[in-house]
Each structure stands twice: as structure tokens, then as C-alpha cells.
Amino acid sequence: QVQLVESGGGLVQPGGSLRLSCAASGSIFSSLAMEWYRQAPGNEQELVAGISTGSNTNYADSVKGRFTISRDNAKKMVYLQMNSLKPEDTAVYYCRAWHTVTRRTYWGQGTQVTVSS
């Protein structure tokens, strides 16, 4: 079993920055591929960024060059650094873990990000 807890969301002005954090517990973190998803009201859930167990990364086109995903295996943490935020980045952001051995997925409870002046 894996537990995920996100933090770091909030209200920020356009052009500002936020760093989201996701703390994992309950499993060998190095076996988890980690992803950030987001969902805005009325929209489908969207994959924002992912990082593999080998730290390979991928990003949605809408956030490339602005967001950076990273992981710290020793601390069992994954981060999403979000720069140059836009109002369209407003959403609930969710952390997802995919266990590369058991193939199970796990979700955090989400954290709200609001970009508004």
C-alpha cells in the first residue's frame, strides 16, 4: 500500500511560481513511477508531468518549459516546480504513483492551485 500526500497549492498571481510536493509512504519509493495530474472544473483530468524510476521526465505540451518535475528517493518526495503560471493552470493537482512491480496505482487527495489577479 502506498499513501500520497500533496502540499504546496494556493493562490498565486499570473506569472508567479509555486512548488507542489508529494510525500509518499508505505512502499519502496524507488519502485514508483510518479506523475502529476490536474483537473479543472468541467474539464477532463490531464497528465501534467511524469518521472520514471530512472528519473526520465515527460511533460504536457501546455507546461513544457514552465514546469519541472523532480524526485528525491531518499526523502520519498516528488516535486512539481511551476513557473510563469497562467490562469489556465488553475486546477486541482493530484499526485499519482504507479508501482513498477505490482502495477498498482495510487492517488493523493489533491491540492488546489488558483492563478488569478
Short mmCIF file of all heavy atoms in Angstrom, two decimals, residues 43-72:
data_model
loop_
_atom_site.label_atom_id
_atom_site.label_comp_id
_atom_site.label_asym_id
_atom_site.label_seq_id
_atom_site.Cartn_x
_atom_site.Cartn_y
_atom_site.Cartn_z
N ASN A 43 -13.51 20.12 -16.87
CA ASN A 43 -12.51 19.54 -17.77
C ASN A 43 -12.17 18.12 -17.36
O ASN A 43 -12.36 17.72 -16.20
CB ASN A 43 -11.23 20.37 -17.76
CG ASN A 43 -11.40 21.70 -18.46
OD1 ASN A 43 -12.50 22.05 -18.90
ND2 ASN A 43 -10.33 22.45 -18.54
N GLU A 44 -11.63 17.37 -18.32
CA GLU A 44 -11.14 16.04 -18.01
C GLU A 44 -9.81 16.14 -17.28
O GLU A 44 -9.09 17.14 -17.37
CB GLU A 44 -10.98 15.23 -19.29
CG GLU A 44 -12.30 14.91 -19.99
CD GLU A 44 -12.11 13.99 -21.17
OE1 GLU A 44 -10.97 13.66 -21.52
OE2 GLU A 44 -13.14 13.60 -21.77
N GLN A 45 -9.49 15.07 -16.59
CA GLN A 45 -8.20 15.01 -15.91
C GLN A 45 -7.08 14.98 -16.95
O GLN A 45 -7.19 14.31 -17.98
CB GLN A 45 -8.14 13.75 -15.05
CG GLN A 45 -7.11 13.78 -13.95
CD GLN A 45 -7.26 12.60 -13.02
OE1 GLN A 45 -7.28 11.46 -13.48
NE2 GLN A 45 -7.40 12.87 -11.74
N GLU A 46 -6.02 15.70 -16.67
CA GLU A 46 -4.93 15.87 -17.63
C GLU A 46 -3.60 15.49 -16.98
O GLU A 46 -3.31 15.93 -15.87
CB GLU A 46 -4.87 17.34 -18.08
CG GLU A 46 -3.70 17.70 -18.96
CD GLU A 46 -3.58 19.20 -19.20
OE1 GLU A 46 -4.12 19.98 -18.38
OE2 GLU A 46 -2.94 19.59 -20.18
N LEU A 47 -2.81 14.70 -17.70
CA LEU A 47 -1.46 14.40 -17.24
C LEU A 47 -0.59 15.63 -17.45
O LEU A 47 -0.48 16.13 -18.57
CB LEU A 47 -0.87 13.21 -17.99
CG LEU A 47 0.59 12.88 -17.70
CD1 LEU A 47 0.80 12.50 -16.25
CD2 LEU A 47 1.08 11.77 -18.62
N VAL A 48 0.01 16.10 -16.39
CA VAL A 48 0.85 17.30 -16.46
C VAL A 48 2.31 16.94 -16.66
O VAL A 48 2.99 17.49 -17.53
CB VAL A 48 0.69 18.14 -15.17
CG1 VAL A 48 1.62 19.34 -15.18
CG2 VAL A 48 -0.76 18.57 -14.99
N ALA A 49 2.80 16.02 -15.83
CA ALA A 49 4.21 15.65 -15.90
C ALA A 49 4.40 14.29 -15.25
O ALA A 49 3.65 13.92 -14.36
CB ALA A 49 5.08 16.70 -15.20
N GLY A 50 5.45 13.59 -15.70
CA GLY A 50 5.76 12.31 -15.11
C GLY A 50 7.26 12.14 -14.98
O GLY A 50 8.05 12.76 -15.72
N ILE A 51 7.66 11.31 -14.03
CA ILE A 51 9.07 10.99 -13.84
C ILE A 51 9.18 9.51 -13.53
O ILE A 51 8.50 8.99 -12.66
CB ILE A 51 9.70 11.88 -12.75
CG1 ILE A 51 11.20 11.66 -12.66
CG2 ILE A 51 9.03 11.69 -11.39
CD1 ILE A 51 11.94 12.75 -11.87
N SER A 52 10.05 8.85 -14.27
CA SER A 52 10.20 7.41 -14.12
C SER A 52 11.09 7.08 -12.93
O SER A 52 11.68 7.95 -12.30
CB SER A 52 10.79 6.83 -15.40
OG SER A 52 12.16 7.21 -15.52
N THR A 53 11.23 5.78 -12.67
CA THR A 53 12.13 5.36 -11.61
C THR A 53 13.58 5.72 -11.93
O THR A 53 14.39 5.88 -11.03
CB THR A 53 12.01 3.85 -11.36
OG1 THR A 53 12.25 3.17 -12.61
CG2 THR A 53 10.62 3.48 -10.86
N GLY A 54 13.87 5.86 -13.20
CA GLY A 54 15.20 6.27 -13.63
C GLY A 54 15.34 7.76 -13.85
O GLY A 54 16.33 8.22 -14.43
N SER A 55 14.32 8.51 -13.41
CA SER A 55 14.30 9.98 -13.49
C SER A 55 14.17 10.53 -14.90
O SER A 55 14.54 11.68 -15.15
CB SER A 55 15.50 10.60 -12.77
OG SER A 55 15.42 10.37 -11.38
N ASN A 56 13.67 9.71 -15.81
CA ASN A 56 13.30 10.26 -17.12
C ASN A 56 11.99 11.03 -16.94
O ASN A 56 11.09 10.58 -16.22
CB ASN A 56 13.11 9.15 -18.14
CG ASN A 56 14.42 8.45 -18.45
OD1 ASN A 56 15.44 9.08 -18.68
ND2 ASN A 56 14.40 7.12 -18.43
N THR A 57 11.88 12.15 -17.61
CA THR A 57 10.71 13.01 -17.42
C THR A 57 9.93 13.21 -18.72
O THR A 57 10.48 13.09 -19.82
CB THR A 57 11.12 14.38 -16.88
OG1 THR A 57 12.01 15.00 -17.82
CG2 THR A 57 11.80 14.25 -15.53
N ASN A 58 8.65 13.51 -18.57
CA ASN A 58 7.82 13.87 -19.71
C ASN A 58 6.82 14.92 -19.24
O ASN A 58 6.48 14.97 -18.05
CB ASN A 58 7.10 12.67 -20.30
CG ASN A 58 6.17 11.99 -19.33
OD1 ASN A 58 6.60 11.24 -18.46
ND2 ASN A 58 4.88 12.27 -19.44
N TYR A 59 6.39 15.76 -20.18
CA TYR A 59 5.53 16.89 -19.84
C TYR A 59 4.43 17.05 -20.88
O TYR A 59 4.62 16.77 -22.07
CB TYR A 59 6.34 18.19 -19.81
CG TYR A 59 7.41 18.21 -18.76
CD1 TYR A 59 8.71 17.81 -19.06
CD2 TYR A 59 7.13 18.61 -17.46
CE1 TYR A 59 9.71 17.82 -18.09
CE2 TYR A 59 8.11 18.63 -16.48
CZ TYR A 59 9.40 18.23 -16.81
OH TYR A 59 10.37 18.24 -15.86
N ALA A 60 3.31 17.56 -20.43
CA ALA A 60 2.28 18.00 -21.36
C ALA A 60 2.80 19.20 -22.14
O ALA A 60 3.57 20.01 -21.61
CB ALA A 60 1.01 18.38 -20.59
N ASP A 61 2.38 19.31 -23.39
CA ASP A 61 2.85 20.42 -24.21
C ASP A 61 2.52 21.77 -23.57
O ASP A 61 3.28 22.73 -23.70
CB ASP A 61 2.21 20.35 -25.61
CG ASP A 61 2.80 19.23 -26.45
OD1 ASP A 61 3.89 18.73 -26.10
OD2 ASP A 61 2.16 18.86 -27.45
N SER A 62 1.41 21.82 -22.87
CA SER A 62 0.95 23.09 -22.30
C SER A 62 1.84 23.60 -21.17
O SER A 62 1.75 24.77 -20.80
CB SER A 62 -0.49 22.94 -21.80
OG SER A 62 -0.57 21.91 -20.83
N VAL A 63 2.69 22.74 -20.61
CA VAL A 63 3.52 23.16 -19.49
C VAL A 63 5.01 23.06 -19.78
O VAL A 63 5.83 23.45 -18.93
CB VAL A 63 3.19 22.36 -18.21
CG1 VAL A 63 1.69 22.41 -17.91
CG2 VAL A 63 3.67 20.92 -18.32
N LYS A 64 5.38 22.56 -20.94
CA LYS A 64 6.80 22.42 -21.27
C LYS A 64 7.50 23.78 -21.19
O LYS A 64 6.99 24.78 -21.70
CB LYS A 64 6.96 21.83 -22.68
CG LYS A 64 6.78 20.34 -22.74
CD LYS A 64 6.98 19.82 -24.17
CE LYS A 64 6.76 18.32 -24.23
NZ LYS A 64 6.87 17.81 -25.62
N GLY A 65 8.66 23.77 -20.56
CA GLY A 65 9.43 25.00 -20.42
C GLY A 65 9.03 25.84 -19.22
O GLY A 65 9.73 26.79 -18.87
N ARG A 66 7.91 25.50 -18.59
CA ARG A 66 7.45 26.25 -17.42
C ARG A 66 7.45 25.41 -16.15
O ARG A 66 7.71 25.93 -15.06
CB ARG A 66 6.02 26.79 -17.65
CG ARG A 66 5.90 27.71 -18.84
CD ARG A 66 4.51 28.36 -18.89
NE ARG A 66 3.44 27.38 -19.05
CZ ARG A 66 2.43 27.25 -18.20
NH1 ARG A 66 2.33 28.01 -17.13
NH2 ARG A 66 1.47 26.34 -18.45
N PHE A 67 7.13 24.12 -16.27
CA PHE A 67 7.06 23.23 -15.13
C PHE A 67 8.24 22.26 -15.14
O PHE A 67 8.70 21.84 -16.21
CB PHE A 67 5.76 22.41 -15.17
CG PHE A 67 4.50 23.19 -14.92
CD1 PHE A 67 4.48 24.59 -14.91
CD2 PHE A 67 3.31 22.52 -14.70
CE1 PHE A 67 3.30 25.29 -14.69
CE2 PHE A 67 2.13 23.19 -14.48
CZ PHE A 67 2.13 24.58 -14.47
N THR A 68 8.67 21.88 -13.95
CA THR A 68 9.74 20.90 -13.81
C THR A 68 9.36 19.89 -12.73
O THR A 68 9.06 20.29 -11.61
CB THR A 68 11.06 21.56 -13.44
OG1 THR A 68 11.41 22.54 -14.43
CG2 THR A 68 12.17 20.53 -13.36
N ILE A 69 9.39 18.62 -13.10
CA ILE A 69 9.14 17.55 -12.13
C ILE A 69 10.48 16.98 -11.68
O ILE A 69 11.41 16.86 -12.48
CB ILE A 69 8.22 16.45 -12.72
CG1 ILE A 69 7.80 15.45 -11.65
CG2 ILE A 69 8.89 15.76 -13.90
CD1 ILE A 69 6.73 14.47 -12.11
N SER A 70 10.57 16.66 -10.40
CA SER A 70 11.79 16.07 -9.86
C SER A 70 11.42 15.13 -8.73
O SER A 70 10.29 15.17 -8.22
CB SER A 70 12.75 17.15 -9.39
OG SER A 70 12.17 17.91 -8.35
N ARG A 71 12.37 14.30 -8.35
CA ARG A 71 12.12 13.36 -7.26
C ARG A 71 13.35 13.25 -6.38
O ARG A 71 14.49 13.44 -6.84
CB ARG A 71 11.73 11.98 -7.80
CG ARG A 71 12.80 11.26 -8.60
CD ARG A 71 12.23 10.01 -9.27
NE ARG A 71 11.82 9.02 -8.28
CZ ARG A 71 10.91 8.08 -8.51
NH1 ARG A 71 10.30 8.00 -9.69
NH2 ARG A 71 10.59 7.20 -7.57
N ASP A 72 13.10 12.96 -5.11
CA ASP A 72 14.16 12.72 -4.14
C ASP A 72 13.86 11.37 -3.50
O ASP A 72 13.00 11.26 -2.63
CB ASP A 72 14.17 13.85 -3.09
CG ASP A 72 15.33 13.74 -2.12
OD1 ASP A 72 15.77 12.60 -1.85
OD2 ASP A 72 15.76 14.78 -1.61
#
